Every structure is written in structure tokens, then in C-alpha cells.
Amino acid sequence: MLSGQLPKTFDPRKLARQGLQFEGTLALNKFEQLVASLADDQGEVKISLHFYMSEDHRVVLQGHVEANLKLICQRCLDLAELPVRVDLNLMGVLTDEQAKMLPEEFEPLMLQEEPMELIPLLEEELLLSLPIVAYHPPEACQVQQSYTTESDEELRDSDAQAEEERKRRNPFSVLAGLKKDIEPE
């Protein structure tokens, strides 16, 4: 296993034939498209990659990418640090037809003649893992704690009352009563 310096470009076929593994980190600010979606570009991305050949002699790239990404919480508009981990399970393909026929557990890795760039490949996976809307966990969000006038006990009581009211107002409860009146005994 190689640790430390990650390659900027790589040939998946060559690395798979050699069965190489890489572990290392890259500065978060090198992921330009990802940083555009974040509130802060400070930090690093931890990367672990394993290249190998499958039993049917196909290129496989497995591993994971981890980062603590800082986004704006849409509930309180404060900074929320969200841990993100993306598991990679890619298999090399040359055509779209091959991509459609991959085993279910693999995603396609389009192989090209020239070496591939590492950052765009990992950046795409990280972008896909971002939440549509970022939130703190409810217990950590300032809005949840600051903007309520009720105590925890009062909140639980009002939630229970609201649930009871919802059950009473069920429009189908009238039908259940009618059904009892119609059924023969």
C-alpha cells in the first residue's frame, strides 16, 4: 500500500494489473466545483483506493473518500459541519452497453486511452453525496433551542394533543361509523 502522495493522473488498467492501493489526503480547496457548494474551503479529503482485476479480468476500483464539509444549515443559517463518506465500487467499461450490463453492485468507470485525473473522479462522487438541503441535527440547531417559548414537557404535551386531534379528524373515521351501522348482525 502506498501512503502519502496521491497521483494527479492515473491509468486504471495499469494500476489494476499491479493491484495497487493508495491512501492519502488532498486539500479540500483543490476540489473547485465542490468548494463552490460549500461555506468553507478549509480542510482535507481522506482517500483510500484499491485497484485490482476481477475474476473475469475487468478493472475494479474500490475504496472510499471522507471529508467534513461545511455547509449552511437551512434551519438556522449557521455553519453546519457534515461528515461525508462515499464508498467507491467502480468497474471499468469501454462503452455504454457494457455499463448497462454491469453487476448491480458496481458503477461504471469509463476507461479512456489517456490517463484519468483523480480529483474530477472523486469530486463527482462527493458532489453526488451532498444533501439537497443541509441541516444540523435537531439537538444541535440553534433555532430549535432558541426560538421556542415552550418547555420540553409542554412541547411533548402539545405534540401528543396534535396527534390525538389528527386521529379524531380522520375523514375516514366517519366511514367506519357508517360501516358499523350497515353491517348485519
Side-chain angles (χ1 to χ4, degrees), residues 22-165:
F22 292 96
E23 277 192 10
T25 60
L26 290 172
L28 184 59
N29 60 15
K30 291 186 178 188
F31 296 80
E32 293 174 12
Q33 286 183 317
L34 177 64
V35 167
S37 302
L38 302 177
D40 187 0
D41 68 351
Q42 299 304 303
E44 56 186 27
V45 177
K46 296 176 186 170
I47 301 160
S48 176
L49 304 174
H50 179 213
F51 294 86
Y52 65 93
M53 299 297 285
S54 68
E55 291 178 5
D56 57 350
H57 305 288
R58 297 180 71 178
V59 173
V60 176
L61 167 56
Q62 289 184 320
H64 63 271
V65 181
E66 295 179 64
N68 286 326
L69 304 178
K70 295 175 184 145
L71 299 156
I72 298 296
C73 172
Q74 297 304 302
R75 191 179 293 131
C76 69
L77 300 179
D78 201 3
L79 202 60
E81 189 168 322
L82 301 175
V84 173
R85 178 185 166 111
V86 178
D87 292 319
L88 302 171
N89 207 17
L90 308 173
M91 183 174 274
V93 296
L94 298 172
T95 64
D96 288 336
E97 290 77 34
Q98 285 180 346
K100 291 176 186 172
M101 296 172 39
L102 281 178
E104 194 173 300
E105 65 269 14
F106 290 102
E107 292 185 36
L109 173 65
M110 291 303 252
L111 300 175
Q112 305 157 356
E113 291 302 317
E114 62 273 352
M116 298 179 76
E117 291 187 41
L118 181 64
I119 289 178
L121 173 70
L122 301 177
E123 185 170 40
E124 182 178 322
E125 296 294 331
L126 284 168
L127 281 167
L128 290 171
S129 73
L130 288 178
I132 293 172
V133 180
Y135 293 113
H136 283 111
E139 64 278 357
C141 193
Q142 295 301 318
V143 169
Q144 288 295 112
Q145 298 168 4
S146 302
Y147 294 105
T148 184
T149 59
E150 299 173 322
S151 68
D152 288 342
E153 188 175 315
E154 290 172 326
L155 282 172
R156 281 192 294 276
D157 290 344
S158 66
D159 286 346
Q161 288 175 348
E163 181 65 22
E164 195 62 38
E165 180 69 21

